[in-house]
Every structure is written in C-alpha cells, then in structure tokens.
Coordinates of all heavy atoms in Angstrom, one line a residue:
A1 N -12.7 -1.2 -9.4 CA -11.8 -1.1 -10.5 C -10.6 -0.3 -10.1 O -9.4 -0.7 -10.4 CB -12.5 -0.5 -11.7
T2 N -10.7 0.8 -9.4 CA -9.6 1.6 -9.0 C -8.8 0.9 -8.0 O -7.5 1.0 -8.0 CB -10.1 3.0 -8.5 OG1 -11.0 3.6 -9.4 CG2 -8.9 3.9 -8.2
H3 N -9.4 0.2 -7.1 CA -8.7 -0.6 -6.1 C -7.8 -1.6 -6.8 O -6.6 -1.8 -6.4 CB -9.7 -1.3 -5.1 CG -9.0 -2.1 -4.1 ND1 -8.2 -1.5 -3.1 CD2 -9.1 -3.4 -3.8 CE1 -7.8 -2.5 -2.3 NE2 -8.3 -3.7 -2.7
I4 N -8.3 -2.3 -7.8 CA -7.6 -3.3 -8.6 C -6.3 -2.6 -9.2 O -5.2 -3.1 -9.2 CB -8.5 -4.0 -9.6 CG1 -9.5 -4.9 -8.9 CG2 -7.6 -4.8 -10.6 CD1 -10.6 -5.4 -9.8
A5 N -6.5 -1.5 -9.8 CA -5.4 -0.7 -10.5 C -4.4 -0.4 -9.4 O -3.2 -0.3 -9.8 CB -6.0 0.5 -11.2
D6 N -4.8 -0.1 -8.2 CA -3.9 0.3 -7.1 C -3.1 -0.9 -6.5 O -2.1 -0.7 -5.9 CB -4.7 1.0 -6.0 CG -4.8 2.4 -6.2 OD1 -4.0 3.0 -6.9 OD2 -5.8 3.0 -5.7
T7 N -3.6 -2.1 -6.6 CA -3.0 -3.2 -5.8 C -1.6 -3.5 -6.1 O -0.9 -4.0 -5.3 CB -3.9 -4.5 -5.8 OG1 -4.1 -4.9 -7.2 CG2 -5.2 -4.4 -5.1
A8 N -1.2 -3.2 -7.3 CA 0.2 -3.5 -7.7 C 1.2 -2.7 -6.8 O 2.4 -3.0 -6.8 CB 0.5 -3.3 -9.2
H9 N 0.7 -1.6 -6.2 CA 1.6 -0.8 -5.4 C 2.1 -1.6 -4.2 O 3.2 -1.3 -3.7 CB 0.9 0.5 -4.9 CG 0.2 0.3 -3.5 ND1 -1.1 -0.2 -3.4 CD2 0.6 0.6 -2.3 CE1 -1.4 -0.3 -2.1 NE2 -0.4 0.2 -1.4
W10 N 1.5 -2.7 -3.8 CA 1.9 -3.4 -2.7 C 3.3 -4.0 -3.0 O 4.1 -4.2 -2.1 CB 1.0 -4.5 -2.3 CG -0.2 -4.0 -1.6 CD1 -1.5 -3.9 -2.0 CD2 -0.2 -3.4 -0.3 NE1 -2.3 -3.3 -1.0 CE2 -1.5 -3.0 0.0 CE3 0.8 -3.1 0.7 CZ2 -1.8 -2.3 1.2 CZ3 0.5 -2.5 1.8 CH2 -0.9 -2.1 2.1
I11 N 3.6 -4.4 -4.2 CA 4.9 -5.0 -4.5 C 6.0 -4.0 -4.2 O 7.0 -4.3 -3.5 CB 5.0 -5.5 -6.0 CG1 3.9 -6.6 -6.2 CG2 6.4 -5.9 -6.4 CD1 3.7 -7.0 -7.6
Y12 N 6.0 -2.8 -4.7 CA 7.1 -1.8 -4.4 C 7.0 -1.4 -2.9 O 8.0 -1.1 -2.3 CB 7.2 -0.7 -5.4 CG 6.0 0.3 -5.4 CD1 6.0 1.3 -4.4 CD2 5.1 0.3 -6.4 CE1 4.9 2.3 -4.4 CE2 4.1 1.3 -6.4 CZ 4.0 2.2 -5.4 OH 3.0 3.2 -5.4
T13 N 5.8 -1.3 -2.4 CA 5.7 -0.9 -0.9 C 6.4 -1.9 -0.1 O 7.1 -1.6 0.9 CB 4.2 -0.8 -0.6 OG1 3.6 0.3 -1.4 CG2 4.0 -0.4 0.9
I14 N 6.2 -3.2 -0.3 CA 6.8 -4.3 0.4 C 8.3 -4.2 0.3 O 9.1 -4.4 1.3 CB 6.2 -5.6 0.0 CG1 4.8 -5.8 0.4 CG2 7.1 -6.8 0.5 CD1 4.0 -6.9 -0.3
L15 N 8.8 -4.0 -0.9 CA 10.3 -4.0 -1.2 C 10.9 -2.7 -0.6 O 12.1 -2.8 -0.3 CB 10.5 -4.1 -2.7 CG 10.2 -5.5 -3.2 CD1 10.3 -5.5 -4.7 CD2 11.2 -6.5 -2.6
E16 N 10.2 -1.6 -0.5 CA 10.8 -0.4 -0.1 C 10.9 -0.2 1.4 O 11.6 0.7 1.9 CB 10.1 0.8 -0.8 CG 10.4 0.9 -2.3 CD 9.6 1.9 -3.0 OE1 8.8 2.7 -2.4 OE2 9.8 2.1 -4.2
A17 N 10.1 -1.0 2.2 CA 10.1 -0.8 3.6 C 9.9 -2.2 4.3 O 9.3 -3.1 3.7 CB 9.0 0.2 4.1
D18 N 10.3 -2.3 5.5 CA 10.2 -3.5 6.2 C 8.9 -3.6 7.0 O 8.6 -4.7 7.6 CB 11.4 -3.7 7.2 CG 12.7 -3.9 6.4 OD1 12.7 -4.3 5.3 OD2 13.8 -3.6 7.0
E19 N 8.2 -2.6 7.1 CA 6.9 -2.6 7.7 C 5.9 -1.6 7.1 O 6.3 -0.7 6.4 CB 7.0 -2.4 9.2 CG 7.4 -1.0 9.6 CD 7.5 -0.8 11.1 OE1 8.0 -1.8 11.8 OE2 7.2 0.2 11.6
Y20 N 4.6 -1.9 7.3 CA 3.6 -1.0 6.9 C 2.6 -0.8 8.0 O 2.2 -1.7 8.7 CB 2.8 -1.6 5.7 CG 1.8 -0.6 5.1 CD1 2.2 0.3 4.1 CD2 0.5 -0.7 5.5 CE1 1.3 1.2 3.6 CE2 -0.4 0.2 4.9 CZ 0.0 1.2 4.0 OH -0.9 2.1 3.5
D21 N 2.3 0.5 8.3 CA 1.4 0.8 9.4 C 0.1 1.3 8.9 O 0.0 2.4 8.4 CB 2.1 1.8 10.3 CG 1.3 2.1 11.6 OD1 0.2 1.5 11.8 OD2 1.8 2.9 12.4
F22 N -1.0 0.5 9.1 CA -2.3 1.0 8.7 C -2.9 2.0 9.7 O -3.9 2.7 9.4 CB -3.3 -0.2 8.7 CG -3.3 -1.0 7.4 CD1 -2.7 -2.3 7.4 CD2 -3.8 -0.5 6.2 CE1 -2.7 -3.0 6.2 CE2 -3.8 -1.2 5.1 CZ -3.3 -2.4 5.0
G23 N -2.2 2.3 10.8 CA -2.6 3.3 11.7 C -2.0 4.7 11.4 O -2.2 5.6 12.1
G24 N -1.3 4.8 10.3 CA -0.7 6.0 9.9 C -1.7 7.0 9.3 O -2.9 7.1 9.8
A25 N -1.4 7.6 8.2 CA -2.3 8.6 7.6 C -3.6 7.9 7.2 O -3.6 6.8 6.8 CB -1.6 9.2 6.4
P26 N -4.7 8.6 7.4 CA -6.0 8.1 7.0 C -6.1 7.7 5.6 O -5.6 8.5 4.7 CB -7.1 9.1 7.4 CG -6.3 10.4 7.6 CD -4.9 10.0 7.8
Y27 N -6.7 6.6 5.3 CA -6.9 6.1 3.9 C -8.0 6.8 3.3 O -9.1 6.9 3.8 CB -7.1 4.6 4.0 CG -7.3 3.9 2.6 CD1 -6.3 3.9 1.6 CD2 -8.6 3.4 2.3 CE1 -6.6 3.4 0.4 CE2 -8.8 2.8 1.0 CZ -7.8 2.8 0.1 OH -8.0 2.3 -1.1
K28 N -7.8 7.3 2.1 CA -8.8 8.0 1.3 C -9.0 7.2 0.0 O -8.2 7.4 -0.9 CB -8.4 9.4 1.1 CG -8.4 10.2 2.4 CD -8.0 11.7 2.1 CE -7.9 12.4 3.5 NZ -7.2 13.6 3.4

C-alpha cells in the first residue's frame, strides 16, 4: 500500500532529471 502511494513520485522524478541511478543511496 505504501509503495502504491509512493509510485506517483516517478512522474516528477522523471521530469526533474534526465537519469536515475539505482546504485545511489540505499533504498529503505
């Protein structure tokens, strides 16, 4: 449920940067 509430962040994340690195800060 929390993951679903979080997924909309991808829209602004995609628009605010040209790349996303899953190797960055550890996901919590």
Side-chain angles (χ1 to χ4, degrees):
T2 307
H3 181 64
I4 291 167
D6 273 334
T7 56
H9 91 277
W10 284 113
I11 295 170
Y12 68 78
T13 298
I14 290 163
L15 290 169
E16 291 175 357
D18 294 337
E19 65 180 41
Y20 186 84
D21 187 359
F22 277 108
Y27 177 66
K28 294 179 183 167

